[in-house]
Amino acid sequence: MRQPPVNMIARDAIKAWKITAAIYVAVLWLATLAIAIISYHYTLSYWFVSIAILISGLSTYLAVFLFPEIRWRRWRYEVFDQEIYIQHGILIVSRTLVPMIRVQHVDTKQGPILRNFRLASVTISTAATTHEIPALLEEDASELRDRISALARVDEDDV
Amino acid sequence: MSEPRRLHPAAIIFNFIKGIREFLFVLIFGFITFRDESLIYFILILFALVLLLVTYSIITWYRFTYRVEDNELRIEYGIFVRKKRYISKNRIQSIDLTSGVIHRIFKLAKVQIETASGGDGAEASLKAVKLTEAEKLRDELKNENTPLKGELEEEETTNPFYKISFQRLFIAGSTSGSLGVIFVLAIGATEFERFIPDQFFDNAMSWVIGLGIALIVGFVFVVLLLLWLLGIAGTIIKYGNFTITKSTDELFITRGLLEKKQITIPLSRIQAIGIQESIIRQPLGFVTVFAEVAGGSLDQGQDFSTVLFPIMRRDEVEEFLQEILPEYAEHPKEFNPLPKRALPFYLFRTMVPVILLGVVVMFLLPQFSWLVILLLIAAFGLGFLRYRASGYDVKGNRLMVRYRTFSKMTMLMYHKRIQAFEKKQHKIQKSQSLATLKLSIIGKLGVGKHYSLKELNADDLDLLSDWYSYRE
C-alpha cells in the first residue's frame, strides 16, 4: 500500500464532474436570486443577499473549478489478480484494498452526463461495502467489469 | 414427520391480537369522530369488525400448515391466495425459539427461522407451537445429518456450558446504562424549570420551599433510586437464566425471565468477537462479551450484536473463550499502542465540541461557566483515555483492534472475515506521518459494520496493509 495505484481514470471525468457540479450550483444561484428578489421586495437587510452570494460564489469556485481537477488527479485504481486497489479523496486520501474473493458482484453504470462523454462507472460490491470507480471509457469499464467478475469467481468460502 | 401439522390453537389469539393492533388507529379515530351522535352505530360496526377479525384469525390458523419433507421445511398458508414456502434445510442459518408471557401459560414457543437473506423479518415464523414440538422441530431442521438421538444426548453433557449467577446478574443490572439515563435526567431536570409558566412556577416554588430543601433532595433521591432499580429489574428480566452452550458447530443461548428466548448461532456465521468494558464496569473489572453475526434479522432484539455473555470478570474471558470459541482466545497481554504524536489529535477531537458549546454557554448563560470548565476537564480526560485505549495487535491471521468511544471495545477478527481494508490520511495526519485505519466486516442484516482506528503510525499501517494484502 506504499505505492499508489497506477491506473488513472478517464480525463473526461473532469468535464462530467464539472457539469454535474454546475447543475447543483445552479440550484444554489436560483435560491440566491430568490433571496435577492424577496429582500428587494420587502426591503430587508442586504446582509442576507451578500451572504447568499458569498456562499454560492465559493461553492461554485470549489465544486466547479477546483475540486474536479484535484479529484481527477487523486483518483487511481489498480486491479490485481488477488485484489482491487483504489485511491481517492480530496482532503482525506483513502486507499482501499478489496480482496477478489470478497467481491460479490460488479456493475457498470452510466447516467446521461457520463453517456454524453462515452464514459461509465464501475461499482464493486462486497458483502459489507461498495466501491465505485467513477469514470472510465465505456469499453474499459465493461472490460474491467468482466475481468473482475471472472477473477472474483473463486470458490467461495463460508461467509 | 411428513404429515402437515397446524399450529397450536393459541395462534388464533396471536392472529387476533395482531389484527387488533393493525386496526387500533382506525378504532381510536372512529371512536373520536362518532363519539357523540352515532355511538350506537360505531359499537355495531365495532362488533361486526371483531366478529370478522375472529373468523379471519381462525381461518388463518386453519389454513396454516407446516411439515418437514425431503430435507425442507414446507409451509402452506393464505386464505384467498394459497401460498407455499419451502425452505431447504441447508439454507437455514438459525432457528430461534421465543416464549412470551402468553406462550408460557400454554407451554408454547414461537419458532423463527432465518436464512442468509437479511430483511427485517424472519424468513418463516411459526407463531405458536408446543414447546416440546418446537424443540423437536429445531433438532430436526438443524443442518447436521440427523445424528442418532442417543449420541446427541451423550454429547449434551460434555458440552461447554455457562450460566449466569444471580449475583452477576445483579451487578450487571446495577452497572447498566440506566445510570447514564439517570445522569441525563438529572441534567434535564435542572433545565426543565424554564418550560414551566412563571406564575405556576412561583406558586409551586413557594410551596416547595415551604416543604423544605431536605424533602426535595429526598424526593429526587427516591426517584433516582427508583430508576436505578428499574434498570436492574430490566436487566434481570432480559438476561435472567442466561445460559450459553456449545455444540459441535453452533452456540446455543437461552435467556429471559418473562419472555424466554432461545437463540442458535452457527459458528461459521460469527464474523468477530468483541469485548466491551463500559466506563462504569471497567473499574470494577467487569466486561461484556459479544459476537458480530452475519445475517439474522431485526426482530432478534434491540441489541445490535449478539451478547455471548452479559457480564463476567475480565480475567475469566480467556477461559470462557477457550471453551466456547478457542480460536478467539489467547489474548495478547500487550498491544501496539498509538504513537505519542497522536495524543493531540485525540484531545482536540473530544474537546472541540465542548469548547464550541462552552463559548455559546458563556455568551448566553455566564452563570453556568463552571459547568463548562467541568465538562472541559471531563472531555480532556476522555480524550486521553481514548488515546490510551487505542491500538492493535496481529497474531497470525487474527487482528485485534481496541478503541474507545465511551466503552472500551476490543474487537477480534480474522483475516478472512475482513471485507475491505482502508487507509485514510488527511494533510495534517500526513505531516505527522499518521493515518486512520478502517476495517469492514459483515454485520447483522447483511449490512456492513465498520471499525476505525484513528491516528495510527502510518508505517505501522502500511505493514498492516501488507499483512492484509492478498498480493504475493
Side-chain angles (χ1 to χ4, degrees):
Chain A
M1 218 190 233
R2 269 152 261 196
Q3 299 300 320
V6 291
N7 303 324
M8 302 192 85
I9 58 171
R11 175 86 202 169
D12 276 344
I14 300 176
K15 290 183 199 155
W17 286 335
K18 282 189 171 172
I19 292 172
T20 318
I23 293 168
Y24 283 115
V25 167
V27 177
L28 269 183
W29 281 111
L30 277 178
T32 311
L33 190 69
I35 291 171
I37 292 170
I38 291 167
S39 335
Y40 178 75
H41 211 73
Y42 295 98
T43 57
L44 295 175
S45 158
Y46 284 119
W47 271 107
F48 299 110
V49 187
S50 341
I51 289 171
I53 289 175
L54 196 74
I55 291 172
S56 307
L58 198 68
S59 313
T60 311
Y61 170 69
L62 289 178
V64 180
F65 296 102
L66 192 64
F67 285 167
E69 284 280 346
I70 302 177
R71 199 197 283 173
W72 178 78
R73 236 177 297 139
R74 254 318 135 55
W75 242 110
R76 273 149 199 270
Y77 71 97
E78 195 168 353
V79 176
F80 299 93
D81 286 353
Q82 308 89 351
E83 65 192 3
I84 303 158
Y85 183 20
I86 298 171
Q87 170 189 288
H88 69 96
I90 295 169
L91 293 175
I92 301 171
V93 184
S94 304
R95 286 183 184 172
T96 311
L97 288 175
V98 185
M100 257 334 150
I101 48 167
R102 297 275 90 95
V103 174
Q104 300 262 322
H105 52 90
V106 210
D107 306 312
T108 44
K109 265 196 314 199
Q110 195 177 40
I113 297 169
L114 285 185
R115 188 177 310 139
N116 194 31
F117 294 100
R118 305 186 55 74
L119 297 175
S121 63
V122 179
T123 312
I124 301 148
S125 308
T126 69
T129 54
T130 48
H131 310 271
E132 195 183 13
I133 302 174
L136 295 176
L137 291 177
E138 271 172 3
E139 49 277 22
D140 290 354
S142 41
E143 197 238 331
L144 189 70
R145 179 197 58 208
D146 296 345
R147 193 172 148 219
I148 292 175
S149 115
L151 285 170
R153 217 174 290 143
V154 201
D155 290 330
E156 219 181 302
D157 51 350
D158 52 338
V159 178
Chain B
M1 271 319 249
S2 63
E3 78 285 0
R5 280 170 288 171
R6 288 210 172 79
L7 301 179
H8 189 272
I12 299 170
I13 303 173
F14 297 119
N15 287 339
F16 183 71
I17 292 171
K18 195 178 159 219
I20 290 280
R21 239 192 333 210
E22 271 157 28
F23 277 111
L24 198 63
F25 182 71
V26 180
L27 288 182
I28 294 168
F29 190 72
F31 179 72
I32 292 167
T33 37
F34 293 112
R35 183 175 40 185
D36 302 325
E37 49 264 39
S38 36
L39 191 61
I40 308 235
Y41 294 110
F42 176 71
I43 288 171
L44 275 178
I45 293 170
L46 191 70
F47 191 70
L49 207 69
V50 167
L51 210 66
L52 210 68
L53 214 56
V54 169
T55 28
Y56 171 81
S57 307
I58 292 172
I59 297 174
T60 312
W61 167 76
Y62 183 76
R63 286 289 205 182
F64 191 105
T65 63
Y66 67 96
R67 64 185 195 273
V68 181
E69 209 172 271
D70 289 346
N71 281 328
E72 278 183 327
L73 174 70
R74 301 186 168 173
I75 299 172
E76 297 182 15
Y77 61 104
I79 297 176
F80 298 110
V81 185
R82 304 293 324 254
K83 290 175 222 168
K84 295 178 180 183
R85 174 172 283 178
Y86 292 2
I87 301 172
S88 162
K89 243 188 194 179
N90 35 22
R91 286 281 156 229
I92 293 174
Q93 296 294 351
S94 68
I95 304 159
D96 297 347
L97 308 187
T98 317
S99 302
V101 182
I102 302 177
H103 281 103
R104 301 188 83 180
I105 298 171
F106 297 105
K107 286 204 169 28
L108 303 173
K110 181 161 107 184
V111 184
Q112 281 167 296
I113 289 148
E114 314 271 359
T115 63
S117 77
D120 53 359
E123 217 71 348
S125 159
L126 310 179
K127 283 201 190 83
V129 183
K130 271 242 158 58
L131 192 60
T132 47
E133 205 164 315
E135 275 164 358
K136 218 163 85 189
L137 186 70
R138 183 184 60 207
D139 293 341
E140 221 177 321
L141 289 176
K142 266 188 192 166
N143 214 352
E144 295 144 21
N145 296 327
T146 46
L148 294 168
K149 195 76 191 159
E151 239 176 24
L152 197 83
E153 258 149 35
E154 207 175 352
E155 241 179 290
E156 211 77 55
T157 49
T158 54
N159 283 342
F161 175 84
Y162 277 83
K163 191 167 169 39
I164 195 165
S165 68
F166 185 77
Q167 188 197 353
R168 281 292 162 80
L169 203 58
F170 189 77
I171 296 171
S174 44
T175 56
S176 70
S178 62
L179 261 176
V181 174
I182 291 168
F183 189 67
V184 170
L185 275 179
I187 289 179
T190 56
E191 280 300 293
F192 186 62
E193 59 185 73
R194 306 206 310 164
F195 299 103
I196 305 171
D198 276 353
Q199 190 163 12
F200 175 78
F201 185 68
D202 287 344
N203 289 342
M205 208 52 191
S206 54
W207 176 70
V208 165
I209 287 167
L211 287 179
I213 297 291
L215 212 64
I216 303 169
V217 172
F219 180 70
V220 169
F221 183 74
V222 166
V223 168
L224 289 184
L225 195 73
L226 219 63
L227 282 170
W228 186 54
L229 288 176
L230 274 178
I232 295 176
T235 310
I236 288 176
I237 288 169
K238 191 174 166 197
Y239 288 121
N241 287 335
F242 189 100
T243 59
I244 179 167
T245 320
K246 185 194 179 178
S247 74
T248 41
D249 56 358
E250 53 199 7
L251 295 177
F252 181 68
I253 292 171
T254 316
R255 68 165 166 83
L257 271 190
L258 289 182
E259 194 189 53
K260 205 172 162 203
K261 239 177 179 307
Q262 305 187 353
I263 307 163
T264 25
I265 309 168
L267 292 180
S268 60
R269 303 287 293 175
I270 294 176
Q271 306 291 312
I273 295 296
I275 296 158
Q276 181 190 33
E277 299 175 58
S278 83
I279 225 156
I280 305 167
R281 284 178 195 168
Q282 196 185 352
L284 302 170
F286 283 109
V287 303
T288 304
V289 183
F290 63 95
E292 291 299 339
V293 185
S297 71
L298 267 184
D299 42 59
Q300 274 183 345
Q302 64 278 56
D303 39 355
F304 218 18
S305 316
T306 307
V307 171
L308 291 186
F309 209 80
I311 190 162
M312 62 168 50
R313 293 206 86 87
R314 199 182 296 129
D315 45 21
E316 288 165 356
V317 174
E318 190 67 46
E319 191 200 342
F320 173 74
L321 286 175
Q322 197 69 257
E323 287 267 19
I324 300 279
L325 294 157
E327 66 270 34
Y328 287 96
E330 285 176 53
H331 292 187
K333 286 277 174 291
E334 283 168 18
F335 61 98
N336 304 324
L338 302 182
K340 274 228 170 58
R341 54 187 191 281
L343 180 60
F345 287 84
Y346 274 77
L347 294 180
F348 181 79
R349 207 177 291 118
T350 44
M351 287 172 78
V352 159
V354 178
I355 290 170
L356 288 179
L357 181 89
V359 169
V360 175
V361 168
M362 291 208 193
F363 206 68
L364 297 175
L365 304 156
Q367 68 269 34
F368 283 116
S369 302
W370 57 273
L371 203 70
V372 173
I373 290 164
L374 228 64
L375 273 175
L376 212 58
I377 293 168
F380 182 89
L382 186 63
F384 187 72
L385 283 179
R386 280 184 182 161
Y387 161 77
R388 274 273 302 277
S390 299
Y392 73 95
D393 182 73
V394 177
K395 181 173 170 281
N397 271 333
R398 194 182 73 188
L399 175 66
M400 179 202 87
V401 289
R402 184 173 282 170
Y403 61 93
R404 179 198 287 283
T405 33
F406 285 101
S407 302
K408 183 163 135 190
M409 308 289 264
T410 307
M411 298 303 306
L412 294 153
M413 59 192 98
Y414 272 88
H415 185 279
K416 66 169 185 178
R417 298 296 189 198
I418 301 169
Q419 301 284 325
F421 181 103
E422 194 169 347
K423 171 194 176 185
K424 292 172 160 189
Q425 197 175 43
H426 55 68
K427 280 264 153 59
I428 310 165
Q429 281 179 331
K430 195 167 186 179
S431 68
Q432 301 277 317
S433 72
L434 295 167
T436 294
L437 161 72
K438 190 176 149 201
L439 298 166
S440 306
I441 62 165
I442 312 174
K444 273 248 167 89
L445 303 165
V447 180
K449 196 133 201 208
H450 311 282
Y451 300 97
S452 291
L453 198 53
K454 287 169 174 147
E455 277 85 49
L456 277 178
N457 193 345
D459 293 337
D460 287 1
L461 187 42
D462 282 333
L463 283 177
L464 258 183
S465 77
D466 288 345
W467 169 81
Y468 184 67
S469 176
Y470 280 78
R471 259 176 278 164
E472 271 100 40

